[in-house]
Amino acid sequence: MSEKIDRRIVKSQKAIREAFLDALLEKGFENITVKDITEQADLSRKTFYLHYIDKYDLLDKIMDEHLKQLREICEQKKDKGLVEGTIIWFAYFEKHKAFFTSLFQSANTVSFRHRLLHFVMGEIDKKLSESSLNQQIDRQIAVKFLGTAVMGVLESYVLEEISGDMQQVAKQVGEMISTHLSYGF
């Protein structure tokens, strides 16, 4: 019996998330309502509220999934060089470009930007060795500097404010990070 319930839960959550993503692309985050989502998913509002508190909670859960996948990518690319790893990472954003474009364009998704920046900074911090820092450069400032630089380029790429294909942009970002890590600022 519990297997049947689990399948229904998975099916409902999948329908809600797909409806949310469709609405996100069509209307933008600010204009989405729970009613829009449930109508598109052909589910009751009660079903929505069994799984999520509101649209912000739903967005947080979807972001959790993306961050989990990005962590897995970071683990898989450990053996690759920084430039090649950056290309793999940018490819993920290319694959999910419509979703990330909608979020970067939204004024009400500050928590999304903050969580993504925190994630990027954490990955940079892992790569930043003590010996690569100039004695006069604070580690926290170096991580914040590189993290916000990567986020700025990533956001500009996703929003198509930067020309160039994904591999070209990612390669340049990877090379710049590598240069800063190698020369210790």
Side-chain angles (χ1 to χ4, degrees):
M1 182 76 177
S2 65
E3 186 177 324
K4 198 172 199 175
I5 294 171
D6 288 346
R7 275 194 233 151
R8 286 189 304 202
I9 289 171
V10 169
K11 185 177 176 184
S12 294
Q13 288 178 342
K14 182 179 179 191
I16 290 167
R17 288 168 189 236
E18 287 174 359
F20 172 76
L21 293 175
D22 288 345
L24 181 66
L25 299 176
E26 182 183 324
K27 296 181 169 198
F29 185 76
E30 290 85 4
N31 299 317
I32 297 172
T33 64
V34 171
K35 181 180 178 183
D36 295 332
I37 297 167
T38 57
E39 285 179 357
Q40 175 74 23
D42 196 24
L43 297 168
S44 69
R45 290 171 62 97
K46 180 180 177 183
T47 301
F48 177 91
Y49 290 117
L50 285 172
H51 301 286
Y52 307 101
I53 298 169
D54 54 21
K55 70 180 186 178
Y56 295 94
D57 183 44
L58 173 56
L59 177 61
D60 281 344
K61 299 284 191 296
I62 292 171
M63 271 308 301
D64 288 344
E65 288 176 7
H66 281 290
L67 291 176
K68 180 182 176 197
Q69 290 175 17
L70 286 168
R71 275 189 195 89
E72 290 171 5
I73 289 170
C74 289
E75 285 298 313
Q76 293 169 0
K77 67 184 183 88
K78 275 185 178 178
D79 299 334
K80 302 192 184 309
L82 187 59
V83 173
E84 188 179 346
T86 303
I87 291 170
I88 293 167
W89 202 69
F90 264 72
Y92 181 84
F93 285 89
E94 176 70 27
K95 181 179 177 183
H96 302 282
K97 193 171 188 175
F99 170 75
F100 287 108
T101 297
S102 297
L103 292 182
F104 280 131
Q105 289 176 336
S106 175
N108 288 336
T109 56
V110 174
S111 68
F112 152 73
R113 282 185 176 83
H114 178 73
R115 290 178 66 199
L116 189 55
L117 175 60
H118 182 74
F119 173 80
V120 170
M121 288 171 42
E123 291 303 311
I124 289 171
D125 191 45
K126 291 176 189 174
K127 292 177 180 24
L128 192 63
S129 68
E130 293 298 329
S131 62
S132 69
L133 278 179
N134 179 319
Q135 293 294 338
Q136 297 172 342
I137 303 292
D138 180 90
R139 181 183 193 89
Q140 184 179 11
I141 293 171
V143 169
K144 185 74 166 189
F145 174 80
L146 289 172
T148 54
V150 170
M151 277 289 295
V153 173
L154 179 63
E155 182 173 347
S156 293
Y157 169 73
V158 167
L159 295 175
E160 297 179 352
E161 298 169 348
I162 294 177
S163 60
D165 71 345
M166 181 275 300
Q167 287 211 346
Q168 177 190 11
V169 173
K171 182 178 179 188
Q172 289 182 45
V173 169
E175 288 173 353
M176 286 186 274
I177 293 171
S178 184
T179 299
H180 282 296
L181 293 178
S182 298
Y183 292 114
F185 288 84

